[in-house]
Amino acid sequence: MLMENSSTVLGSKGLIRKHEFVRIIIQCLYSLGYKNSASCLESESGISYKSLDFELLESQLLCGNWDGCIDTLNAIKDLMDETRASALFLVFKQCLLECLNRGDDSMALAVLRKEVSASRLGKDKAQNLAQSILSFKDVQFGEIEDNDVRELRKKLLAELEKLLPPPTMLPERRVQIPTETVQILKGHKNEVWFVQFSNNGDYLASSSSDCTAIIWQVLQDGKLMLLHTLRSHQNPVSFVAWSPDDTKLLTCGNGEVLKLWDVETVLTLKKASICGIVMATRLKHGRG
């Protein structure tokens, strides 16, 4: 079995970790039902989409090995104290619930006195667990079937999955493929090279190889409406960027110039002369 080097990177800029990329592919294959393909890729790459820590935690939790769960959570490295405490709290709560469901009150109290105090959950979480015992006692126990217990453990596993950081577990449905076209935007006459929403989410700016940029308005229903086409570049526009307060929009001509647009002026005076609206900075021969 080939073991992948976790430090290997992909892409021209080296921004993609190959190890994480393969893990995402494996998870997607599992989620789509291609278990044999996912298992084959795991075997060939030596990568599991679940970390060894989480695989161990999953097996311990599903069989009710609470001491093992606690030891595993305490052993996970690089886990923030607050995150560890929250995860332990969820495990203890499930453990207490099952103890009381079996009528084993003494075990529930032993867990509360010994394990909880030793785990440094904090006063608030410890009190919350103590109150849980009292609230659980008001429930009619003995009616939770084995299937229900398994479902509760699976639910707990899903909560831990969301709580623990990505290196420990990849969240479900991390990669989602769009399945519905909501709207087709028509305005550019050639390829669109870049898009960016304004910081307040009210506008979308797009740039194109047709030498223009367009400002679109986001409507209440989520649809977009063309507000204004920015024309003055002589070359394709490869990049756009909003200022922090969304009052300015920067457009970048491919190997040409940067243009800074006053958004309010552009949208208010659509027919105004381009003079006074656009400021250009030439990027030729290193001069500003």
Side-chain angles (χ1 to χ4, degrees), residues 5 7 19 33 51 68 72 75 86 109 219 221 226 253 258 260 269 288:
N5 186 341
S7 63
H19 188 274
S51 69
T72 299
S86 297
L109 290 173
L219 304 178
D221 60 359
L226 192 155
L258 294 175
L260 187 64
L269 304 174

Side-chain angles (χ1 to χ4, degrees), residues 5-16:
N5 186 341
S6 61
S7 63
T8 304
V9 295
L10 302 173
S12 58
K13 297 183 179 179
L15 299 178
I16 304 172

Side-chain angles (χ1 to χ4, degrees), residues 211-213 230-237 239-243 248-254 256-263 266 274 277-283:
C211 305
T212 70
L230 308 176
R231 310 177 191 275
S232 72
H233 281 284
Q234 301 304 310
N235 290 330
V237 183
F239 184 77
V240 296
W242 294 89
S243 63
K248 301 290 190 297
L249 180 68
L250 188 71
T251 58
C252 178
N254 193 20
E256 184 198 3
V257 296
L258 294 175
K259 296 180 182 290
L260 187 64
W261 304 79
D262 185 304
V263 176
V266 167
I274 208 69
I277 298 177
V278 181
M279 295 177 285
T281 303
R282 299 196 174 276
L283 302 177

